[in-house]
Amino acid sequence: MQLNLKNPVVFLDLETTGIDIVKDRIVEIALLKIKPDGTEEEVLHRVNPERPISAEATRIHGITNEDVASEPTFKEVAKNLAKFLEGCDLAGFNSNRFDIPLLAEEFLRADVDIDFKKRKFIDVQAIFHKMEKRTLEAAYKFYCNKPLIGAHSALADTKATYEVLKAQLDTYREVEYEDKRGQISMPIVNDVEKLSEFSSYDRNVDFAGRIVLNEDGVEVFNFGKNKGVPVEKILEEQPGYFGWIMNSDFPLYTKRVLTQIKLRMMEK
């Protein structure tokens, strides 16, 4: 089954220096754009992360410090990448929890403004785990009935993720589930908005999940002594809390969201 698209969707995969979305950096990025007419366009970039790649990361993706020493930095390719992503929804494997948050951090560090709130996100791993509880290689074998050649290569993983999602559309077209509103729906509907909702685990306001929406749709902190307390209440009653977060080791995107909430309060 081919994707039913209103907007282009870009499948992405990152290889990185490690797994910390605040401290680690991209060393390779693969983007596969699927347009509404079914045509495809791909981009693959090696990136100099300007910091050492951990030995653990190199063991997984095989990229060494020497491999990227002469490559451009993310800031040097950021504007071209942003142009490629313009007007597109995003999809990936574990992308909601890792690739998209880390990519957002990189764009902020490069001073390239992308409004991710306007995008829909499909996490193929979330769909797979909810239905089968496995890994990308197992997903590829299960849905596509063939081994994944070149696993942990960014482009191979990106193309495999796209193939898995198309196969999921065929596999689960008759399966029902209870959605967030308690309504029975078809989980794998050929619609980006429905796929985005089904592949979401949480109600994050920022990518790192430090600020989330509670059951009433109110922004609350999701960590520490103020967990579950509305953000606006804390900013009003504990004005120093904003400065503490802004000066601490929180993701840039979390700080950006918090600043937007504070500015919104000032405009009331």
Side-chain angles (χ1 to χ4, degrees), residues 110-128:
D111 296 320
V112 174
D113 189 25
I114 292 186
D115 190 354
F116 281 102
K117 290 183 179 179
K118 295 181 179 179
R119 314 302 175 90
K120 297 292 187 299
F121 305 126
I122 301 173
D123 193 328
V124 175
Q125 186 195 60
I127 297 172
F128 183 46

Side-chain angles (χ1 to χ4, degrees), residues 62-153:
I63 301 172
T64 66
N65 294 303
E66 292 74 18
D67 292 333
V68 295
S70 60
E71 298 293 343
T73 64
F74 186 86
K75 189 167 187 176
E76 291 174 317
V77 300
K79 289 183 179 179
N80 286 337
L81 292 175
K83 185 176 181 180
F84 187 83
L85 295 172
E86 187 174 351
C88 299
D89 296 315
L90 300 175
F93 199 83
N94 194 33
S95 50
N96 284 358
R97 291 186 171 185
F98 183 71
D99 298 78
I100 291 172
L102 181 55
L103 184 61
E105 291 292 296
E106 290 279 34
F107 276 123
L108 286 170
R109 280 189 288 267
D111 296 320
V112 174
D113 189 25
I114 292 186
D115 190 354
F116 281 102
K117 290 183 179 179
K118 295 181 179 179
R119 314 302 175 90
K120 297 292 187 299
F121 305 126
I122 301 173
D123 193 328
V124 175
Q125 186 195 60
I127 297 172
F128 183 46
H129 283 181
K130 286 183 177 182
M131 308 304 279
E132 304 298 340
K133 313 287 184 188
R134 305 227 183 153
T135 63
L136 177 57
E137 290 166 272
Y140 195 72
K141 177 65 177 176
F142 181 87
Y143 291 110
C144 304
N145 197 30
K146 52 187 176 182
L148 175 55
I149 306 301
H152 301 301
S153 159

Side-chain angles (χ1 to χ4, degrees), residues 78-257:
K79 289 183 179 179
N80 286 337
L81 292 175
K83 185 176 181 180
F84 187 83
L85 295 172
E86 187 174 351
C88 299
D89 296 315
L90 300 175
F93 199 83
N94 194 33
S95 50
N96 284 358
R97 291 186 171 185
F98 183 71
D99 298 78
I100 291 172
L102 181 55
L103 184 61
E105 291 292 296
E106 290 279 34
F107 276 123
L108 286 170
R109 280 189 288 267
D111 296 320
V112 174
D113 189 25
I114 292 186
D115 190 354
F116 281 102
K117 290 183 179 179
K118 295 181 179 179
R119 314 302 175 90
K120 297 292 187 299
F121 305 126
I122 301 173
D123 193 328
V124 175
Q125 186 195 60
I127 297 172
F128 183 46
H129 283 181
K130 286 183 177 182
M131 308 304 279
E132 304 298 340
K133 313 287 184 188
R134 305 227 183 153
T135 63
L136 177 57
E137 290 166 272
Y140 195 72
K141 177 65 177 176
F142 181 87
Y143 291 110
C144 304
N145 197 30
K146 52 187 176 182
L148 175 55
I149 306 301
H152 301 301
S153 159
L155 190 56
D157 286 357
T158 301
K159 290 183 175 180
T161 301
Y162 173 46
E163 290 186 49
V164 167
L165 179 58
K166 291 192 293 181
Q168 286 174 331
L169 293 175
D170 290 320
T171 302
Y172 300 119
R173 68 173 71 194
E174 302 298 332
V175 180
E176 295 181 344
Y177 86 109
E178 187 173 299
D179 65 15
K180 295 177 181 177
R181 296 173 294 276
Q183 299 173 342
I184 300 300
S185 305
M186 304 301 290
I188 308 301
V189 178
N190 199 351
D191 178 270
V192 167
E193 186 168 356
K194 298 282 188 185
L195 290 168
S196 177
E197 178 183 338
F198 185 72
S199 62
S200 174
Y201 279 110
D202 47 47
R203 304 186 71 191
N204 289 359
V205 179
D206 67 326
F207 290 124
R210 303 292 194 274
I211 301 172
V212 299
L213 295 176
N214 64 14
E215 293 181 355
D216 298 320
V218 175
E219 297 147 335
V220 299
F221 285 111
N222 194 37
F223 67 95
K225 64 180 183 180
N226 293 317
K227 185 173 182 178
V229 182
V231 174
E232 290 194 7
K233 177 180 173 66
I234 296 301
L235 293 182
E236 183 177 344
E237 297 179 357
Q238 303 177 36
Y241 200 70
F242 175 83
W244 173 72
I245 289 178
M246 299 303 290
N247 292 314
S248 299
D249 197 19
F250 284 87
L252 294 176
Y253 197 80
T254 300
K255 295 177 182 180
R256 185 182 200 183
V257 168

Side-chain angles (χ1 to χ4, degrees), residues 9-14 28-34 40-45 74 77 80-85 90-91 103 107 154-155 158-159:
V9 59
V10 172
F11 288 77
L12 72 155
D13 187 70
L14 308 180
E28 187 173 73
I29 179 170
L31 304 173
L32 176 64
K33 182 185 292 186
I34 313 301
E40 303 176 9
E41 186 178 354
E42 63 185 51
V43 168
L44 177 65
H45 275 300
F74 186 86
V77 300
N80 286 337
L81 292 175
K83 185 176 181 180
F84 187 83
L85 295 172
L90 300 175
L103 184 61
F107 276 123
L155 190 56
T158 301
K159 290 183 175 180

